[in-house]
C-alpha cells in the first residue's frame, strides 16, 4: 500500500517538509511516496500541481496527503481543488496567532528564510568557511575565534557536526583529531591546553567505530577492533582527567549530536 | 516590546523551531526572544521548563508563545501548566491524520529523525565526505559518482551549496571553479567535457561578487569590480554556449539555491 505525500510551498518547501516528515514518521506501517513541489507561486503552477496530485491519487488508488504552507488565498483555492487530505499549516496556526499577537501577519511569499544579504547569511557563510578551514586540526592558530572545538578520535563524527552547527546556526566550530601520542600522555597538545573552556569531546562505541573505519580502510590496523577499543578507552580517560565534557555519537543523528553540544556547552546561535 | 517564544520538544526541537520560526516570521513588527528547550522527556524536566517560561513571562510582562512537539501525555499536561499561548503542533494534526490513515500514530519519542545506523545516515555521511573530497576542483577523477557538479567562478556559492545538498538530502555534489583560461577559450576543461549532463552553473551579480571577494582579499585584482564584471560576463557566455543550465545566487539563501538546483536538474534525494 503506497500513499503519496505532497509538500507544497510558495517558497523552498522546507517548512512543509520538516513538519510533514515529522508527522508522517509517526505512522510506521505506511509507505509514503514523498513529492516536494516548491515555488508554487502562481495559479498556473498550482493548477499543474493539482494535476500531478490527481494523477498520483489515481495511480495509487489512495487519497494523497498534502502539507501546504502557501499563503496566497487564490493559490490556496486552486490547491483545494485536489480533493486530497490537506494539512493546512499556515491557516490553522496563523489566525489564532494573529489574535494573540494583535497584529495581522504579513502573508508574504517566502518570508521564512533569510535572504542572501542578511546578517544571518553572512554569519552562516563565515561559519561554514571557518569549519572548512579549521577541520581535522588543519590549522590551529585561529582557535581564539572558535565558539567550540570538537575533539575525539578519527571518525567519531567531528566533521559533520562542525559543518551542521555552521550551516544551521552560524556557530564557528573547529575540530582536532586526538592521536595516540596525545592520549598516551594523558595531556592535551599545546594548541588545545590553553583553550580548555572551548573543548567538547566526542566518543563512540568501539565496535561501531571499527565498522565505520573499515568502510574507509578495510582490514587495516586503524580499523581493527583492538585498536578501536584501545583508542576509545584512552580518549575517554583523557576527557575525564582533563574535565572535558563529552558525549557519545553512537546512536545519534547529526542533529541530535549538535543539539546536545549546543545545550551542554551553552553555545549561542547566530540565527534561528 | 519583547515576546518570548519557546520551542519545546522531547527530541532535538528542530521541527518545533522550523515551524515556529516560519510562523513568527510573518509578524514583522514584533521582536521575539527565542528559546529552544530540547529533550524535555520527563515530568521533572517539564516542570523546570514551566518555571523558566513563567519567569520569562514575568520579566517581559508579555504572554509567551510555546511551540510544542512533545508527544507524551503526562509531559504535555505539565507544560500546559505554564498558561502561555500554546501552539500544539502534534495534537492539532496527528489526530485527524490518524483518522485519515486508519492507523494509530506511534507516539514515540524522537521518531522524526533518522538514527545513526539507518541507511539515510550512511548516505548522508557518504555525501558529506564526497562534497569535502571533491570540493573546489581538488579531485576530478570521481566525477562519475557525482549526482551533480556545480561550476562557476570563485566565490559564487558552490561550496556551501554542495555541503547543504549533502547534509540535507544525501546528494553527492562536486564543484569545480572555472578559471579565466577556461572562460576565454569558451571550452570546458577535459575533466568536465564528458560530464556535461551533470553540470549546473552558478552565476552572481558582479557587484555582490566583488564585495564578497573583498572580504577575503581586500583591494586585490581578484576582488576588483573590473575583474568581477569580466569573469561573470565570460562565465555566462560559457554556460550559454555549452547549454549548461544555471541560476543566479545573488539574492538567494543556500536553501533556495539548492531547492532550485534539485528541481531544475531533477536530482533524486537519498532521504527526506
Amino acid at each position: 500500500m503506497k500513499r503519496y505525500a505532497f509538500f507544497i510551498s510558495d517558497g523552498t518547501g522546507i517548512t512543509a517538509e520538516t513538519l510533514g516528515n515529522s508527522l508522517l514518521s509517526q505512522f510506521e506501517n505506511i509507505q509514503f511516496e514523498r513529492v516536494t513541489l516548491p515555488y508554487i507561486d502562481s495559479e498556473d503552477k498550482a493548477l499543474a500541481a493539482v494535476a500531478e496530485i490527481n494523477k498520483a491519487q489515481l495511480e495509487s488508488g489512495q487519497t494523497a496527503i498534502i502539507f501546504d504552507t502557501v499563503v496566497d488565498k487564490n493559490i490556496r483555492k486552486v490547491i483545494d481543488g485536489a480533493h486530497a487530505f490537506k494539512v493546512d499549516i499556515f491557516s490553522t496556526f496563523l489566525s489564532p496567532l494573529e489574535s494573540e499577537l494583535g497584529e495581522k501577519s504579513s502573508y508574504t511569499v517566502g518570508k521564512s528564510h533569510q535572504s542572501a544579504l542578511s546578517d544571518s547569511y553572512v554569519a552562516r557563510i563565515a561559519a561554514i568557511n571557518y569549519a572548512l578551514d579549521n577541520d581535522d586540526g588543519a590549522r590551529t592558530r585561529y582557535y581564539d575565534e572558535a565558539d567550540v572545538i570538537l575533539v575525539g578520535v578519527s571518525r567519531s563524527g567531528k566533521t559533520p557536526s562542525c559543518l551542521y552547527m555552521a550551516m544551521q546556526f552560524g556557530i564557528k566550530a573547529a575540530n582536532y583529531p586526538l592521536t595516540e601520542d596525545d592520549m598516551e600522555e594523558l595531556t592535551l597538545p599545546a594548541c588545545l591546553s590553553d583553550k580548555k573552556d572551548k573543548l567538547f569531546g566526542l566518543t563512540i562505541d568501539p565496535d561501531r567505530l571499527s565498522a565505520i573505519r573499515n568502510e574507509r580502510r578495510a582490514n587495516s590496523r586503524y580499523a581493527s577492533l583492538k585498536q578501536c577499543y584501545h583508542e576509545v578507552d584512552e580518549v575517554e580517560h583523557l576527557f575525564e582527567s582533563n574535565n572535558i565534557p563529552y558525549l557519545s555519537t553512537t546512536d545519534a543523528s547529526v542533529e541530535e549530536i549538535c543539539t546536545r553540544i549546543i545545550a551542554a556547552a551553552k553555545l549561542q546561535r547566530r540565527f534561528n
Side-chain angles (χ1 to χ4, degrees), chain A:
Chain A
M1 192 175 104
K2 198 170 70 171
R3 279 264 190 178
Y4 273 88
F6 286 89
F7 308 109
I8 304 182
S9 171
D10 44 18
T12 59
I14 290 167
T15 301
E17 278 179 13
T18 306
L19 182 84
N21 279 319
S22 192
L23 291 169
L24 294 181
S25 71
Q26 296 285 325
F27 299 91
E28 294 177 341
N29 301 319
I30 301 175
Q31 282 270 65
F32 293 101
E33 182 75 26
R34 294 165 165 87
V35 181
T36 302
L37 303 175
Y39 303 109
I40 304 299
D41 50 12
S42 73
E43 293 178 41
D44 280 353
K45 290 187 192 167
L47 278 171
V50 168
E52 188 172 343
I53 294 163
N54 288 341
K55 193 173 154 240
Q57 306 211 67
L58 214 62
E59 180 206 305
S60 69
Q62 298 276 336
T63 308
I65 315 288
I66 297 180
F67 296 92
D68 155 34
T69 58
V70 171
V71 290
D72 181 274
K73 276 176 198 159
N74 295 321
I75 297 173
R76 303 170 78 72
K77 230 178 259 171
V78 177
I79 294 169
D80 282 340
H83 296 298
F85 181 85
K86 203 170 157 199
V87 178
D88 188 337
I89 297 170
F90 270 114
S91 73
T92 308
F93 291 137
L94 270 183
S95 167
L97 264 177
E98 286 182 348
S99 307
E100 170 62 29
L101 296 169
E103 184 176 310
K104 284 276 163 205
S105 66
S106 55
Y107 271 78
T108 45
V109 169
K111 266 286 167 205
S112 61
H113 287 280
Q114 63 208 21
S115 88
L117 295 166
S118 69
D119 288 351
S120 56
Y121 181 84
V122 174
R124 170 187 248 182
I125 299 297
I128 292 171
N129 287 331
Y130 186 86
L132 291 172
D133 292 342
N134 298 277
D135 184 42
D136 208 32
R139 220 172 53 170
T140 63
R141 66 184 186 280
Y142 293 103
Y143 281 177
D144 280 338
E145 286 177 36
D147 296 315
V148 65
I149 304 165
L150 299 189
V151 289
V153 302
S154 165
R155 298 280 124 186
S156 54
K158 302 182 298 298
T159 298
S161 302
C162 285
L163 288 170
Y164 189 85
M165 285 192 280
M167 187 82 79
Q168 295 300 117
F169 307 119
I171 290 172
K172 289 188 174 179
N175 75 79
Y176 188 92
L178 291 167
T179 65
E180 275 186 273
D181 290 345
D182 301 324
M183 292 187 284
E184 268 160 28
E185 304 283 333
L186 280 182
T187 57
L188 290 167
C191 62
L192 299 178
S193 57
D194 63 334
K195 300 284 181 301
K196 262 195 173 176
D197 55 325
K198 292 187 178 189
L199 301 184
F200 201 97
L202 297 184
T203 188
I204 183 170
D205 173 73
D207 295 279
R208 170 98 182 120
L209 180 62
S210 173
I212 294 171
R213 287 185 173 182
N214 262 307
E215 276 173 38
R216 277 243 146 170
R217 280 190 241 158
N219 304 318
S220 60
R221 174 174 173 271
Y222 165 81
S224 70
L225 266 181
K226 191 184 163 197
Q227 178 68 14
C228 291
Y229 268 89
H230 176 68
E231 286 188 31
V232 169
D233 190 50
E234 299 269 283
V235 87
E236 291 184 3
H237 264 101
L238 184 72
F239 293 156
E240 299 279 354
S241 61
N242 287 278
N243 290 315
I244 299 169
Y246 68 98
L247 58 77
S248 169
T249 63
T250 308
D251 285 315
S253 67
V254 179
E255 283 89 346
E256 286 165 344
I257 297 166
C258 294
T259 316
R260 289 185 190 274
I261 293 170
I262 289 168
K266 297 199 195 326
L267 300 178
Q268 288 297 313
R269 303 169 182 206
R270 293 220 165 68
F271 51 80
N272 282 281

